[in-house]
């Protein structure tokens, strides 16, 4: 293995550089070195690169956390992986000993060092992960599908909190890759109608292709009124994939409905009329990262129940990373993959 590699490094507020950096080495007995097959751009990467940032990353960190790779080297204590294994990785390595880890909430670990934010990530030729966050995935699964493992694992954690039943209705706010997966998962669960609120024409079109019954532009349509027109009383569920739409979600649900807050935007400070939550007896649920949901995500991907390959709109070389992030910011791309070998 060579000594240096190309990587997309966050240099500070709004600054991203493609540069030569040292190839990661085994440091602990449970370390695994992966050769990165692909790494997709997440909304978190867009927030990190915003000025001011909507998500804080450590300067000097290699960005990227939604990756697929192959094992090229393992530490002396690794038991379940060998060179050549194809894996996806939970980017949020947890300590296993803090109070939250002991409460079986590793996604809330007090000592977590998230990949691509505080530890080097996947927009590089190689990356180091620990064995406990690595998960094998089928060699036959297309790269474009395997790349969805990390966001799908986070989505499954949220879906387990609301548990949509057949015949129930759902509003999905935001139709990026995660929102479109929520649409497909809701339809697979038998939800009807599934309504999407999204300003981007491209993404509204993709929402309909993914099975949404309706897709509306919130800049032109009163979403609350539209949802009530189509459901009679409001949706059973509203899912905010944007990170700032809690009030729109609360307004759209029926009495006794549930709001799932998935998206994260640290800059957003939305105004909420709390009395409406009380009056509606609404349930407001946050969901954060993946929690023991990677095996389920891998199973779902390998089953083929979701149609995800069609969501990949761009496959760019590492040098196109900044372009890809800008495409995501403008809503002109859906799933954008970065190939660090190109």
């Amino acid at each position: 293995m060579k000594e240096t590699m190309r990587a997309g490094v966050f240099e500070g507020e709004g600054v991203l550089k493609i540069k030569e950096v040292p190839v990661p080495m085994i440091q602990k007995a449970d370390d695994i070195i992966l050769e990165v097959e692909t790494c997709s751009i997440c909304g978190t990467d867009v927030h990190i690169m915003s000025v001011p940032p909507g998500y804080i990353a450590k300067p000097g960190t290699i960005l990227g956390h939604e990756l697929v790779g192959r094992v090229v080297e393992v530490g002396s204590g690794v038991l379940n992986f060998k060179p050549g294994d194809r894996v996806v990785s939970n980017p949020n390595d947890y300590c296993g000993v803090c109070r939250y880890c002991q409460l079986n909430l590793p996604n809330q670990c007090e000592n977590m060092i998230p990949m691509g934010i505080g530890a080097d990530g996947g927009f590089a030729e190689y990356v180091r992960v620990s064995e406990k966050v690595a998960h094998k995935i089928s060699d036959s699964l297309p790269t474009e599908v395997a790349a969805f493992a990390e966001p799908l694992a986070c989505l499954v954690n949220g879906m387990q909190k609301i548990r949509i039943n057949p015949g129930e209705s759902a509003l999905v706010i935001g139709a990026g890759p995660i929102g479109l997966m929520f649409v497909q998962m809701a339809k697979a669960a038998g939800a009807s109608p599934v309504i999407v609120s999204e300003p981007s024409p491209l993404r509204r079109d993709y929402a309909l292709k993914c099975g949404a019954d309706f897709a509306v532009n919130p800049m032109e349509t009163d979403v609350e009124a539209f949802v009530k027109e189509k459901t009679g009383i409001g949706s059973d569920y509203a899912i905010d994939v944007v990170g700032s739409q809690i009030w729109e979600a609360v307004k759209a649900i029926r009495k006794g409905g549930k709001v799932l807050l998935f998206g994260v935007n640290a800059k957003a400070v939305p105004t909420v009329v709390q009395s409406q939550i009380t009056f509606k007896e609404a349930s407001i649920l946050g969901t954060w990262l993946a929690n023991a949901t990677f095996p389920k995500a891998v199973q779902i991907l390998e089953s083929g129940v979701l149609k995800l390959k069609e969501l990949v709109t761009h496959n760019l070389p590492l040098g196109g990373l900044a372009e890809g992030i800008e495409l995501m910011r403008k809503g002109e791309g859906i799933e954008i993959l970065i190939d660090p070998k190109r």
Side-chain angles (χ1 to χ4, degrees), residues 22-23 46 112 303:
V23 170
V46 177
M112 183 187 294
S303 76

Side-chain angles (χ1 to χ4, degrees), residues 73-240:
E73 189 178 356
V74 299
S76 61
V78 172
L79 300 175
N80 298 311
F81 295 87
K82 64 184 185 305
D85 286 342
R86 192 183 194 212
V87 303
V88 291
S89 176
N90 181 344
N92 301 295
D93 202 349
Y94 51 92
C95 71
V97 297
C98 72
R99 288 292 302 277
Y100 283 106
C101 284
Q102 291 177 340
L103 288 169
N104 290 324
L105 294 170
N107 57 324
Q108 301 290 348
C109 174
E110 295 175 311
N111 303 306
M112 183 187 294
I113 304 177
M115 176 193 292
I117 297 172
D120 286 337
F123 292 137
E125 295 176 70
Y126 298 91
V127 67
R128 180 177 54 241
V129 302
S130 73
E131 181 178 25
K132 69 176 179 291
V133 297
H135 300 268
K136 292 179 183 178
I137 195 163
S138 171
D139 285 332
S140 64
L141 197 66
T143 298
E144 299 90 340
V145 177
F148 284 89
E150 191 276 338
L152 180 58
C154 297
L155 182 152
V156 171
N157 187 31
M159 287 290 284
Q160 290 180 163
K161 291 177 169 64
I162 55 176
R163 298 192 179 277
I164 297 174
N165 292 306
E168 293 183 318
S169 56
L171 168 67
V172 178
I173 304 175
I178 303 266
L180 295 173
M181 282 196 289
F182 266 117
V183 170
Q184 292 196 37
M185 288 286 281
K187 293 304 290 186
S192 181
V194 173
I195 302 168
V196 170
S197 172
E198 168 58 56
S200 163
L202 172 70
R203 292 181 171 186
R204 287 200 303 275
D205 182 52
Y206 268 85
L208 294 172
K209 291 177 181 176
C210 284
D213 298 286
F214 306 98
V216 299
N217 182 351
M219 311 304 291
E220 299 175 352
T221 302
D222 183 330
V223 176
E224 177 187 5
F226 186 89
V227 171
K228 287 183 178 175
E229 175 190 340
K230 298 303 179 183
T231 63
I233 56 174
S235 61
D236 295 296
Y237 306 95
I239 303 166
D240 174 15

Side-chain angles (χ1 to χ4, degrees), residues 257-269:
K258 294 181 179 180
V259 171
L260 182 69
L261 303 178
F262 185 99
V264 176
N265 182 350
K267 293 186 294 184
V269 187

